[in-house]
């Protein structure tokens, strides 16, 4: 039986290009590459939405609250063997006024929802891989500086909260860090090379978690 891997994230799971309008082809996106490299024994589901937050209602971009859609998403795709959760970058926007600590607590909320969802095989909890967002970089874009403010620095702090959180919640953890290249224009979205590297990192973790089952 094929193993189902649900990738729940934001624009870097969606595959948004650095021009902030276009989408990378399926063959370039890390999710599409992951499907190809894992092969027919796996079913990789893309659930990426640009602007998606963890638990926050966005007053500017509606329908972006990641918690609101999480349980319906899990229920519609069950049974799910592994949920890859990679959110937090959009929480760093100035309009939410949240700290990196708050982002960690919000992700803890989502992890609790997944664990209690009965969306895994035999109505158990699915395995969970928590992925720390790749740090965002200030490339001198005035609009992004206004939107993110201190978010650039906060993004560097997330691993310090998410790594111990993963241990506390007994979920798997991956911190891609600087290994995944982001655009030299916006400093947020992955380059094609970044998607290739993310694929390799994700594949290693997926096989580590599900490979012998």
């Amino acid at each position: 039986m094929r193993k189902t891997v649900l990738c729940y994230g934001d624009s870097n799971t969606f595959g948004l290009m650095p021009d902030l309008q276009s989408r990378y082809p399926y063959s370039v996106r890390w999710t599409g590459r992951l499907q190809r490299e894992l092969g027919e024994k796996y079913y990789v589901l893309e659930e990426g939405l640009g602007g998606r937050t963890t638990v926050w209602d966005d007053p500017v971009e509606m329908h972006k609250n990641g918690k609101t859609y999480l349980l319906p998403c899990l229920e519609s795709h069950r049974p799910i063997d592994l949920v890859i959760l990679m959110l937090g970058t959009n929480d760093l926007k100035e309009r939410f006024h949240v700290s990196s600590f708050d982002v960690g607590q919000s992700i803890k909320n989502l992890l609790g929802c997944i664990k209690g969802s009965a969306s895994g095989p035999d109505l158990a909890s699915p395995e969970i891989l928590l992925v720390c967002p790749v740090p965002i970089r200030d490339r001198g874009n005035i609009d992004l500086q206004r939107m993110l403010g201190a978010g650039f620095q906060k993004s560097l702090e997330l691993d310090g909260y998410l790594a111990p959180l993963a241990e506390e919640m007994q979920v798997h953890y991956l911190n891609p860090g600087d290994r995944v290249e982001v655009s030299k224009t916006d400093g947020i979205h992955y380059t094609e090379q970044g998607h290739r590297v993310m694929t390799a990192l994700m594949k290693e973790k997926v096989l580590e978690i599900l490979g012998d089952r």
Side-chain angles (χ1 to χ4, degrees):
M1 182 178 294
R2 286 199 302 178
K3 297 169 184 175
T4 298
V5 178
L6 174 67
C7 307
Y8 195 76
D10 52 30
S11 55
N12 274 319
T13 299
F14 172 80
L16 189 67
M17 296 177 69
D19 65 8
L20 306 182
Q21 295 185 12
S22 309
R23 189 182 192 186
Y24 282 116
Y26 183 71
S27 60
V28 173
R29 302 194 295 268
W30 69 262
T31 45
R33 289 176 178 272
L34 183 63
Q35 175 67 79
R36 183 174 68 247
E37 295 202 11
L38 289 175
E40 295 181 354
K41 292 183 179 180
Y42 290 83
Y43 179 33
V44 178
L45 290 162
E46 298 178 297
E47 282 288 356
L49 175 66
R52 176 176 280 153
T53 67
T54 53
V55 302
W56 310 100
D57 289 323
D58 193 325
V60 178
E61 299 180 79
M62 307 301 179
H63 64 269
K64 301 295 188 178
N65 187 323
K67 185 176 181 180
T68 302
Y69 178 61
L70 179 57
L71 287 178
C73 178
L74 294 171
E75 189 168 334
S76 66
H77 291 303
R78 69 178 178 88
I80 302 166
D81 295 280
L82 172 64
V83 176
I84 298 177
L85 179 66
M86 185 166 62
L87 286 173
T89 299
N90 289 295
D91 294 31
L92 302 176
K93 293 173 181 175
E94 281 285 277
R95 57 179 171 262
F96 296 116
H97 303 291
V98 299
S99 66
S100 48
F101 170 80
D102 292 327
V103 176
Q105 292 302 297
S106 301
I107 290 175
K108 182 177 182 178
N109 190 314
L110 298 184
L111 292 175
C113 289
I114 298 170
K115 280 180 165 285
S117 67
S119 59
D122 301 318
L123 299 180
S125 171
E127 295 284 346
I128 303 171
L129 172 59
L130 174 60
V131 182
C132 183
V134 174
I136 57 178
R137 302 300 182 189
D138 186 350
R139 302 302 196 199
N141 183 302
I142 298 299
D143 289 338
L144 291 176
Q145 289 174 342
R146 290 169 175 166
M147 181 177 72
L148 290 162
F152 297 103
Q153 176 59 37
K154 291 177 184 178
S155 75
L156 297 172
E157 301 169 359
L158 290 179
D159 176 59
Y161 293 103
L162 299 188
L165 174 63
E167 184 174 355
E168 174 191 344
M169 298 292 288
Q170 297 184 314
V171 301
H172 307 278
Y173 185 66
L174 171 64
N175 177 24
D178 292 330
R179 290 174 289 180
V180 174
E181 182 181 67
V182 295
S183 164
K184 288 182 171 58
T185 56
D186 76 349
I188 300 171
H189 297 98
Y190 307 160
T191 62
E192 290 194 28
Q193 173 63 15
H195 277 273
R196 281 193 288 271
V197 172
M198 183 61 88
T199 302
L201 295 173
M202 291 289 193
K203 179 183 178 182
E204 181 179 10
K205 293 298 293 187
V206 170
L207 292 178
E208 175 187 310
I209 297 166
L210 298 178
D212 294 331
R213 297 188 176 190

